[in-house]
Amino acid sequence: MNAVDLARLQFALTTSFHFLFVLLTLGLVTLLVVMQTRSTITGAPVHERMTRFWGRIYVINYALGIVTGIVMEFQFGLNWSGLATYAGDVFGVPLALETLIAFFLESTFLGLWIFGWGRLHRWVHLALLYLTALTAFASAFWIMAANGFLQHPVGYRVDGVLRLDDFGALLTNPAFTSALVHGVFAAITAGGVFLTGVSAYHFIKRTPEADFFRRSLRMGVVTTALATPVLIGAGFAQFPVIERYQPGKGDAVQWIGAPLGFMVLIGMGLTLISWLTLPLLIRDAVIRMRFPLYLMVIGIPFPFAAAVFGWMFREIGRQPWLIYGLLRTEDAVSHVDASRILLSLIVFTSLFVLLAGVDWALIARAVRRGPDVAPAPVSPLVVTL
């Protein structure tokens, strides 16, 4: 493999790993907002316990996701200096805003939320979670804006290199707006399926926390049933945009369509199963039926796989362009020896596999442990990390 192929493979692997963390983070924080809102309004202990238990898993995933994100950022400087040189004035703007406005604020609000249990007024504490969620989605907003520019460059002028000419055009880019809704609901679907699968696991294990996981199971199934139709609709809504602005993507080699096909099948399957499960929630019929519970556990990885398949179609189908119609991928790669890229590929991939394994082990331990009998702060978890 030459330097271009190695650089593309490295970025594909690191981005895919990071994307999995982001999906669960966005999905869980959305559901946590619902849980803590109900807890704050009703004062019911079960809702607070739900917020603490699922919040613990959220914090684990968020902490390790930060590390993967930092490692991923090194890719631009190490392997893609041509992109920074030619389009940094445009492409770098949403990335900088994501870091300065969204990420730093999100981390601050989350830290206050974690250490604010029992120390802040309940409405102030709830507001911090809302702000955490809003800044998390703001982060996704700016990342998708940057990616939308790569798909369909707008708002620039050519002055030897690309210069930002119309910031508003970046925010109304059809390649950005059509994909943002799809990505948001992919994350919400992943959160709903995760909630459903973990709750089903505890019923398989004959949990003594029947009421706790019954509520969690219902929330997961209902969330999935409501999110997947919007997810699928937003996905199909992108095809006219692709046909108009990236006509070459539809003519790409045949195997590129395979990830798209798998993504569509998974989305349709999750929609069908979640809607068929809704009637079984009445009188807890689904809890007494072992087979659906096993299906729910097995289904946990599927929305994550679908998201990666969709990303593969979106990115690989754009080749040979890094910035569609303006900058070819081979011209954006840094002038470094292929052996050095191979070394960084091995190091970064090994690190990501390690982080993914640690994330899985910590989440699995938290899941097996179950909710605390008595409310306990979330903050000690950070110390253990």
Side-chain angles (χ1 to χ4, degrees):
M1 299 178 71
N2 58 31
V4 176
D5 294 331
L6 289 170
R8 288 181 60 194
L9 177 61
Q10 179 174 331
F11 196 80
L13 290 174
T14 54
T15 306
S16 296
F17 271 110
H18 179 62
F19 195 24
L20 299 179
F21 288 89
V22 172
L23 278 176
L24 187 57
T25 294
L26 292 177
L28 283 182
V29 76
T30 304
L31 296 170
L32 284 172
V33 165
V34 177
M35 294 175 194
Q36 188 164 351
T37 299
R38 297 177 68 180
S39 172
T40 304
I41 293 175
T42 66
V46 65
H47 296 307
E48 180 180 346
R49 295 181 67 217
M50 288 175 65
T51 305
R52 290 178 180 273
F53 172 70
W54 297 108
R56 182 179 295 115
I57 296 174
Y58 164 71
V59 171
I60 291 173
N61 190 73
Y62 181 87
L64 291 170
I66 289 176
V67 182
T68 63
I70 293 173
V71 173
M72 190 188 71
E73 292 296 329
F74 282 107
Q75 307 299 302
F76 294 111
L78 290 173
N79 298 337
W80 303 102
S81 59
L83 172 63
T85 300
Y86 183 67
D89 188 60
V90 183
F91 179 72
V93 171
L95 291 182
L97 290 172
E98 187 273 334
T99 301
L100 296 174
I101 297 177
F103 174 70
F104 285 158
L105 286 177
E106 179 188 2
S107 301
T108 300
F109 292 138
L110 177 60
L112 291 172
W113 181 78
I114 291 172
F115 293 100
W117 282 101
R119 297 179 176 89
L120 298 174
H121 189 278
R122 69 182 192 280
W123 289 104
V124 174
H125 194 249
L126 176 63
L128 287 171
L129 183 60
Y130 270 85
L131 291 171
T132 301
L134 287 173
T135 48
F137 282 103
S139 180
F141 176 92
W142 293 116
I143 291 296
M144 293 302 296
N147 183 264
F149 174 79
L150 300 181
Q151 304 290 333
H152 174 52
V154 294
Y156 69 93
R157 72 177 190 274
V158 180
D159 184 15
V161 295
L162 301 187
R163 302 294 186 188
L164 182 62
D165 189 59
D166 185 355
F167 183 69
L170 289 179
L171 306 185
T172 56
N173 186 350
F176 156 54
T177 55
S178 62
L180 179 62
V181 176
H182 185 64
V184 166
F185 279 90
I188 295 174
T189 298
V193 172
F194 181 81
L195 219 69
T196 301
V198 171
S199 302
Y201 164 82
H202 278 274
F203 280 112
I204 292 173
K205 296 297 183 180
R206 310 286 186 183
T207 177
E209 296 280 358
D211 180 59
F212 181 97
F213 286 108
R214 183 185 297 110
R215 293 173 183 270
S216 297
L217 181 68
R218 288 176 177 173
M219 179 178 289
V221 172
V222 171
T223 298
T224 305
L226 294 178
T228 47
V230 183
L231 169 67
I232 294 173
F236 281 111
Q238 295 181 69
F239 285 108
V241 178
I242 293 173
E243 292 175 1
R244 180 175 181 181
Y245 298 109
Q246 293 183 331
K249 183 173 286 189
D251 300 328
V253 292
Q254 294 297 327
W255 75 270
I256 297 299
L260 176 64
F262 286 127
M263 179 186 66
V264 172
L265 286 176
I266 292 173
M268 294 289 190
L270 290 175
T271 303
L272 178 62
I273 293 172
S274 60
W275 278 93
L276 290 176
T277 306
L278 285 177
L280 298 179
L281 296 177
I282 301 174
R283 297 184 179 180
D284 300 328
V286 68
I287 297 174
R288 297 190 295 270
M289 302 169 63
R290 305 285 288 180
F291 181 68
L293 295 176
Y294 282 103
L295 287 181
M296 292 173 184
V297 176
I298 295 172
I300 291 177
F302 281 92
F304 298 94
V308 172
F309 287 141
W311 177 85
M312 289 174 61
F313 175 79
R314 181 174 174 86
E315 298 301 310
I316 298 176
R318 189 176 70 244
Q319 297 302 314
W321 300 103
L322 186 57
I323 304 178
Y324 194 80
L326 293 178
L327 179 66
R328 296 175 69 90
T329 304
E330 61 187 20
D331 297 325
V333 176
S334 302
H335 298 292
V336 295
D337 188 74
S339 60
R340 295 187 179 182
I341 298 180
L342 177 60
L343 177 61
S344 64
L345 168 64
I346 295 172
V347 171
F348 284 153
T349 302
S350 301
L351 178 60
F352 269 78
V353 171
L354 175 63
L355 291 172
V358 171
D359 185 56
W360 174 259
L362 290 175
I363 289 178
R365 186 176 68 176
V367 166
R368 289 193 299 268
R369 172 184 170 184
D372 295 324
V373 177
V378 179
S379 54
L381 172 64
V382 180
V383 177
T384 65
L385 292 176

